[in-house]
Amino acid sequence: MTTHAPQSAQTAQSVTLPASLDEAVAALAAMPAAVPVAGGTDLMAAVNSGQLRPAALVGLGRISEIRGWQYQDGHALLGSTLTHARMGRPDFAALIPALAAAARAAGPPTIRNAGTLGGNIATADPAGDALPVLAALEATLIIAGTGGVRREVPVSHLLAGMEMLRAGELIGYVRVPLLHAPQVFLKATGRTGPGRSTASVCVVLDPARRGVRCAVGAVAPMPLRPLDAEAWVASLIDWDAERALAPEALTAFGEYVAAACIPDQAADGTRHELPPAVLHLRRTVAVLARRALGRALS
């Protein structure tokens, strides 16, 4: 799982199956043209469409250390080859409910059984369901490099292109804070049932900091955090009582989030009319944000 995926005019010439994370990194360092593969749901689509012709593959399926998760200092350390199907199970849902909900909504069983958390991040598809959840939870990545080197990168930095994976590096783990507080993920699709997101929203309550975190996915190249909307609605919540909000405040929050993520005002202050399809998307984001916060507070 890496964003470093050089193309070659040749079909794959070799497949390496390392047994550990360090072996996988060493194989990638020895074969700069190699592409790592776990579930292959995105990779094979690119190969089948002719967009990618890897000269070699490094399979990650035998690396047991990154297939599960463990607890570490108030965080969950999630292996990068953890599948959507595994994250959707009840025991994981009790740990990180919003990520479990996103995993269950990732697509049909064939995709959920093969697709992995690390692949969702490395591919960085704007419609990736796990991405807004990880942004709202302020997760970090543990990147494995040669010689046993490990470095931490915020997920949001990688998705925004502020920091990139280097040649020969792999996403080893995803470090997620365990807030033990309400969190909700909702998405809209273009059809009934699991499908590709047209918009998604994750809302997380952080009672320890008396804060609300919100991330919107699929409407931009990376998840968006409407920070002003978060601060505004957090100031309205009575954190020492029932934490309920009036319906008008929930509606206002949804509109605030939608306007922040899909603005009708340019940087110079000029307003412009949004096309009908964009207006519909903006209304969808407003509804998702309102409902997600309402459920988190209920």
Side-chain angles (χ1 to χ4, degrees):
M1 282 160 291
T2 173
T3 52
H4 180 74
Q7 296 191 19
S8 167
Q10 311 257 339
T11 55
Q13 298 297 312
S14 65
V15 178
T16 303
L17 299 173
S20 71
L21 191 56
D22 286 333
E23 284 181 19
V25 168
L28 286 172
M31 299 182 292
V35 176
V37 57
T41 54
D42 291 310
L43 176 68
M44 292 313 300
V47 169
N48 292 338
S49 65
Q51 297 175 5
L52 183 66
R53 289 291 181 267
L57 296 174
V58 176
L60 308 179
R62 292 185 178 178
I63 307 176
S64 58
E65 65 192 281
I66 55 175
R67 281 205 299 261
W69 73 82
Q70 56 188 290
Y71 299 99
Q72 185 185 76
D73 302 325
H75 291 70
L77 198 62
L78 312 180
S80 58
T81 61
L82 197 59
T83 63
H84 299 305
R86 186 65 190 89
M87 290 188 289
R89 294 183 189 176
D91 58 342
F92 190 92
L95 191 70
I96 313 173
L99 193 53
R104 289 192 293 264
T110 49
I111 296 295
R112 297 198 304 272
N113 288 335
T116 62
L117 178 62
N120 211 210
I121 298 166
T123 302
D125 186 321
D129 292 318
L131 304 186
V133 178
L134 296 175
L137 290 170
E138 297 182 346
T140 57
L141 304 175
I142 297 178
I143 309 295
T146 54
V149 173
R150 302 289 187 267
R151 65 186 181 100
E152 283 202 39
V153 175
V155 169
S156 56
H157 285 201
L158 184 73
L159 298 177
M162 297 167 63
E163 295 188 58
M164 299 298 291
L165 295 184
R166 301 161 190 159
E169 285 189 328
L170 282 170
I171 298 172
Y173 301 91
V174 183
R175 198 165 183 263
V176 180
L178 294 177
L179 299 178
H180 304 294
Q183 47 187 258
V184 176
F185 170 81
L186 297 175
K187 68 183 276 187
T189 66
R191 60 185 177 87
T192 304
R196 184 178 177 84
S197 293
T198 55
S200 60
V201 171
C202 179
V203 169
V204 174
L205 301 188
D206 189 350
R209 298 182 182 178
R210 297 182 174 238
V212 174
R213 300 186 207 158
C214 175
V216 177
V219 302
M222 60 186 179
L224 303 176
R225 288 278 303 274
L227 300 178
D228 289 343
E230 292 178 359
W232 173 77
V233 80
S235 70
L236 300 181
I237 297 172
D238 185 349
W239 294 96
D240 298 317
E242 295 181 358
R243 302 180 193 169
L245 284 179
E248 296 81 4
L250 294 174
T251 300
F253 172 72
E255 292 173 353
Y256 200 163
V257 169
C261 296
I262 308 175
D264 58 3
Q265 183 172 313
D268 59 3
T270 346
R271 290 192 175 276
H272 53 90
E273 189 174 345
L274 297 175
V278 179
L279 281 173
H280 176 71
L281 182 61
R282 185 167 165 171
R283 286 192 293 269
T284 300
V285 170
V287 170
L288 291 176
R290 169 175 59 81
R291 289 179 179 172
L293 180 61
R295 293 183 189 184
L297 291 171
S298 63

